[in-house]
Amino acid sequence: MRILVAEDEPQLRRQLAEALGEAGYAVDSAADGERADYLIQTEEIDAVVLDLGLPKIDGLTLLRRWREAGLFVPVLILTARGSWHEKVQGIDGGADDYMSKPFRMEEVLARLRALIRRASGNASPELRCGAVTLDPRTGRVRVDGAAVRLTSHEFRVLSYLMHHRGRVVSQAELTEHIYAQSFNRDSNTVEVFIARLRRKLGSAVIETVRGLGYRIEERT
Ligand code: CA
């Protein structure tokens, strides 16, 4: 899963990027509205943390522009403390949730998890497929209750497939959603991650759909 952080305050931007990275997301950062707009048009982003007070193009203008253009990526807006009219404008402008500054990082992470879960049609906080469970709250993956250690990229691949259970996901799509824009990508590495995941989780969990991609079946 890939998150865009649009925040002009450098320290806060770094803190958000770091916390999200540690939580297992690929993170793209933008210090102004133009950059955020560019990234949302050109990259595959799963959720956005959007500061409303951004230079060049403000957050509310961006949000309205994206919604008018039919871009329905989940957006969590960051508003100034106590600014209730900003919250109302933000939600009316198409935001899915908001946080007032200053905030607890844990709460931002929890709200983002919920947005991503709902956007992918998952009601339960823990993702399950047969014997495999993935808990986005802790980053833990288990097979038949036993913890499995994954690298960050293996986790991102599995998390994306688990969020989109029952659907075939191409190698290109996976590549887009596991790396930030600044990362030097190599789509062949997806095959490597899939092979390692199969060794760790059991070979039947991830199915190869020839010529199309990979799928984790919808099973309970
Ligand atoms: Ca700001």
Side-chain angles (χ1 to χ4, degrees):
M1 291 293 170
R2 207 167 148 191
I3 313 278
L4 169 61
V5 173
E7 166 62 61
D8 58 319
E9 213 269 288
Q11 202 188 341
L12 187 52
R13 188 172 63 245
R14 265 199 307 275
Q15 285 169 352
L16 281 162
E18 208 176 283
L20 289 165
E22 278 169 18
Y25 299 105
V27 184
D28 296 87
S29 297
D32 63 63
E34 261 176 25
R35 179 77 185 151
D37 197 33
Y38 172 77
L39 286 169
I40 208 79
Q41 311 285 349
T42 55
E43 302 297 320
E44 296 293 327
I45 305 290
D46 294 296
V48 184
V49 179
L50 179 66
D51 179 33
L52 289 185
L54 284 177
K56 296 191 183 171
I57 311 173
D58 71 88
L60 194 59
T61 303
L62 276 180
L63 183 57
R64 287 178 177 148
R65 183 183 289 182
W66 296 342
R67 294 321 190 210
E68 270 167 32
L71 273 166
F72 295 112
V73 58
V75 173
L76 171 67
I77 54 171
L78 303 177
T79 69
R81 180 185 208 161
S83 177
W84 65 267
H85 59 277
E86 270 195 9
K87 290 172 199 160
V88 172
Q89 282 184 319
I91 291 165
D92 279 346
D96 301 275
D97 203 354
Y98 68 85
M99 292 283 303
S100 299
K101 294 180 185 175
F103 48 75
R104 297 283 308 187
M105 202 55 84
E106 291 85 349
E107 193 175 347
V108 171
L109 293 173
R111 286 177 186 272
L112 275 175
R113 281 193 296 272
L115 289 186
I116 289 169
R117 194 175 73 219
R118 288 200 296 265
S120 57
N122 289 284
S124 160
E126 190 181 64
L127 304 173
R128 174 180 289 276
C129 173
V132 180
T133 57
L134 182 149
D135 192 336
R137 295 166 295 188
T138 57
R140 286 210 182 91
V141 174
R142 293 177 188 276
V143 179
D144 283 324
V148 178
R149 284 183 67 88
L150 300 182
T151 66
S152 62
H153 283 101
E154 289 163 9
F155 179 83
R156 287 180 198 171
V157 168
L158 182 67
S159 175
Y160 193 80
L161 289 171
M162 292 279 279
H163 273 90
H164 298 93
R165 291 189 302 290
R167 179 160 83 70
V168 180
V169 178
S170 72
Q171 208 175 80
E173 181 179 345
L174 267 176
T175 305
E176 284 289 341
H177 289 269
I178 63 170
Y179 296 119
Q181 196 229 9
S182 54
F183 201 88
N184 191 7
R185 294 173 199 186
D186 176 358
S187 62
N188 293 326
T189 55
V190 165
E191 281 178 55
V192 177
F193 298 142
I194 295 279
R196 287 196 209 141
L197 282 169
R198 282 179 173 147
R199 275 201 296 277
K200 293 180 179 183
L201 307 174
S203 57
V205 175
I206 302 170
E207 179 193 354
T208 298
V209 182
R210 269 192 74 165
L212 295 176
Y214 304 100
R215 174 170 57 200
I216 289 186
E217 275 298 348
E218 194 108 45
R219 272 175 296 197
T220 47

